[in-house]
Amino acid sequence: MTADPELRPALRLLRQCGAETLEHPGGTLLAHLLRVRQQLAEWGARPALQRAGLCHAFYGTDGFASALLPLERRRELASAIGGEAEELVYFYAACDRKVTYRGLGAYRDRFTGGTRAPAPQEQRDFAELTAANELDLAALDEDFRRRHGDGLLKLFTGMRPALSPAAWQSCVDVLGSEKRTGRA
C-alpha cells in the first residue's frame, strides 16, 4: 500500500472501521481512499490535505452516506491524522453540496444547518479534494464519466480559480469532451 509511516495510524483506523471490506466503485472504500490521497500527493498537496484525502469518507458525505465513525468520535480521527486534517475531513463531510457547488463562496454544514463563507484556503482544499475524489471515480468508470462528466466539468470549471494547475489539468484530461464522446 503506502510506506509513509505518518499514514500508519490512519490506515489502522480505516481498517478497524471496515474500509477494507466496504464496497465502493473501483473496489473497496480503502482502495478508493488510497487513490485519492495519491492523486493529491501527485498534485503537490500539503501533507494535511493528503491525510484528509485518505480519510475524507470517515463521517460519510453528501454523496456517500456510509460513515465509518460517528461525529461523536472525531477525536479518534484527529489523533490518527492530526487536527488540521480532521477539520478538513469534517468540512468535506459536512458540506451540503447543493449549496456549496453553486459557488465556493457559500457553505452550508449539513450536520448543523449553519451557513458561512469559507476562507480562501478552505475553498482551495475543498476544490482539490472534490476533484481528486470525483476524478478517481470518473477515471475508473466509463458509465459514471458518461453520466456525470459534463456536470463535473462544469463544476470544476467553476472551481478553477481554487484548483491548482495540476488538478485543473487532470480535470481536463479525465473529463475533456473528446474523451467522453470518443473523439480523442
Side-chain angles (χ1 to χ4, degrees):
M1 301 220 171
T2 183
D4 187 344
E6 284 191 20
L7 299 179
R8 285 186 190 133
L11 291 169
R12 188 175 318 112
L13 186 57
L14 282 161
R15 287 185 181 103
Q16 287 172 356
C17 292
E20 202 169 35
T21 59
L22 190 59
E23 289 186 30
H24 192 275
T28 65
L29 178 59
L30 182 58
H32 165 70
L33 296 171
L34 286 165
R35 289 189 305 267
V36 169
R37 190 208 74 68
Q38 182 60 42
Q39 182 64 78
L40 289 164
E42 289 172 11
W43 291 342
R46 67 188 191 290
L49 183 54
Q50 291 179 41
R51 290 190 305 274
L54 177 63
C55 296
H56 74 269
F58 255 99
Y59 310 131
T61 69
D62 200 1
F64 185 72
S66 298
L68 300 175
L69 280 179
L71 293 176
E72 296 78 35
R73 293 175 60 189
R74 287 181 66 184
R75 280 185 168 171
E76 279 181 63
L77 183 57
S79 70
I81 65 174
E84 180 187 8
E86 190 280 332
E87 288 288 333
L88 293 169
V89 170
Y90 178 87
F91 186 87
Y92 187 79
C95 171
D96 178 339
R97 293 178 180 185
K98 289 182 192 99
V99 172
T100 307
Y101 279 10
R102 281 187 252 150
L104 291 177
Y107 177 85
R108 181 177 177 277
D109 184 316
R110 68 187 181 97
F111 299 131
T112 68
T115 59
R116 66 184 179 85
Q121 185 65 55
E122 289 175 314
Q123 292 176 18
R124 288 188 297 272
D125 291 339
F126 181 80
E128 293 278 314
L129 182 49
T130 300
N133 180 56
E134 299 295 344
L135 291 177
D136 178 63
L137 300 175
L140 291 174
D141 185 339
E142 184 178 334
D143 184 53
F144 177 90
R145 192 170 53 251
R146 192 176 320 108
R147 287 183 291 122
H148 302 289
D150 288 334
L152 288 172
L153 189 57
K154 181 178 178 182
L155 173 68
F156 296 133
T157 299
M159 290 182 176
R160 186 173 181 183
L163 290 169
S164 66
W168 173 248
Q169 186 59 55
S170 290
C171 292
V172 171
D173 291 346
V174 174
L175 302 171
S177 61
E178 296 82 15
K179 285 192 177 250
R180 279 196 315 286
T181 61
R183 292 179 286 169

